[in-house]
Amino acid sequence: MAPQKLTEYERRRLENIKRNDQMLAALNIRSKLSQLSQSTKRAQTKSYKVSPEKKQRTETPIVLRRSLRARGVAPDPLSAGGLKDDFDETQNSISKKNSKLDSETTLMKRAYEKGPISMRDAYRTDASDRKLIETILDCSTELRLSEGNEVLGSSKLGRKVRGSIDIATMKLEPENIARVVPGRIMNLKFLPTTDARIVVVGNKFGDVGFWNVNAEDEDEDGIYLYHPHPAPISGIVCNSFSLSKIFTSCYDGFIRLMDMEKERFDLVYTSDYAVFSMSQKPDDLNSLYFGEGNGELSIWDARTGKSSSSWSLHQYRINTIDFNPQNTNIMATSSTDGTACIWDLRNVGVNGPASLKTIRHERAVHSTYFAPSGRFLATTSADDMVGLFSGDTYENMTMVYHNNQTGRWISSFRGIWGWDDSYVFIGNMRRGVDVISTTGKDVVATLQSEHMSAIPCRFDMHLYEVGMLAGATSGGQVYIWKPS
DNA sequence: ATTGTCATTACTCAA
DNA sequence: TTGAGTCCATGACAAT
């Protein structure tokens, strides 16, 4: 069973597992944990509800561009020789004999999808989504009106709330738990508004789910499900200027714009490569930055509707793209090639923006994010480290040990910043949220709750409500912590 | 450089 | 309450 020769990596991982097991045994936590998971089942009230007729359509087998990893490239599966690689065993049992037919239906499916999809066609939930749309459009309107009284642009950005939070006050109440989508959540975002608390999530199946947390309606639980993509959703971009427009990117290379006014998922960009990450420069809402295939970073321009630039910045996939909030020309990327890089977009050559710094981890880097002040940078890596960087050129480095071995079923952890430079929040394998302090240079607290029945692996903080943190699991759940 | 293979392991749901 | 099934992503590394 045990490998004959252990690599350093394996050895370390085994040590982790062993140590964890010992800790568990010592604390007799195993039995307590199982008790907890039992008791929490009842607390599970809110959940997406799919209408039967729609469900059928969701489960229609769709041939995806699989095996994206090795290539980073996704040549059209229809023209790619045999279908062998594109089918798994379970699908084979259904479709082995008429794979030809399947490829034809797939062709039609893709042809249909190569264009706008109406929100009605993509909608999967039982109850009407009218209320969701109205709520969001109302928020937008208020924002637009208030904009008139302000100086354009930067002042609005400055409204982003910053502040310290007492970690001990952050609580997870049962009513702030919901199963928003089926399957694994890849990405989640709070809509940046004070008028409503709405979480948008994207899952592995290409579903986009909404949870209106404060929906106080008797016949609605505030959960709405759409299916605009056929593959994992890699990015969600929304901004406070137009809440009714939400960009979503997908592993199949499509980027769509959900437009609540037009009630459509418009197709804005298609790539022959997988899109693994997407971000927006906070002061340039006319562009999208996204990671394509093996290390390409591209910019899509809303005014031309085309990709305007494409640079090869990394060797392997770009996992995250982030901008320094205080100087949005400074961009940070993280990549499976083991590096996190900082770039200056004011200084762009043929090979892309000038590289200001390369941070080298021993393994893949899963995320790189700037602190709200821009003065810190946090990296999360598969080498079981969270890097904290500070100083004018981020020259001061602190590596904090953190078990980031999430395995196959849990999405990689990504340490995100809170509402100031104090803390980085990151999931842990014990169904908790570790809080890393920049001053303490270590995990100083862990958010835990008996109501957390799964591991929260992807997070977002509410831009305007200090202490409101959302975490998402591989089972489609969303937890929202709030200050008590 | 490209391809192959191997190990990882939590959650849900049905019985 | 248990255990079977999921899963086909991801990353590391060996082989070519």
Side-chain angles (χ1 to χ4, degrees), chain A residues 237 239 245-249 253-258 262 266-271 275 277-281 284-292 297-311 321 323:
Chain A
V237 162
N239 67 74
K245 292 181 170 57
I246 299 170
F247 289 97
T248 50
S249 63
F254 285 28
I255 296 175
R256 288 187 183 273
L257 173 60
M258 181 183 193
K262 295 178 184 164
D266 278 322
L267 182 60
V268 302
Y269 182 80
T270 64
S271 169
V275 174
S277 47
M278 181 171 65
S279 186
Q280 193 165 44
K281 204 161 166 270
D284 178 11
L285 305 182
N286 281 315
S287 61
L288 281 178
Y289 291 68
F290 56 97
E292 273 183 293
L297 184 118
S298 299
I299 304 176
W300 175 83
D301 190 327
R303 285 158 297 201
T304 63
K306 291 192 169 75
S307 166
S308 55
S309 306
S310 193
W311 306 303
I321 303 163
F323 297 90

Side-chain angles (χ1 to χ4, degrees), chain A residues 167 426 428 430-435 443-449:
Chain A
I167 299 297
I426 183 168
N428 75 22
R430 323 228 142 267
R431 296 178 181 166
V433 186
D434 286 332
V435 183
V443 175
V444 293
T446 301
L447 302 178
Q448 284 174 309
S449 165

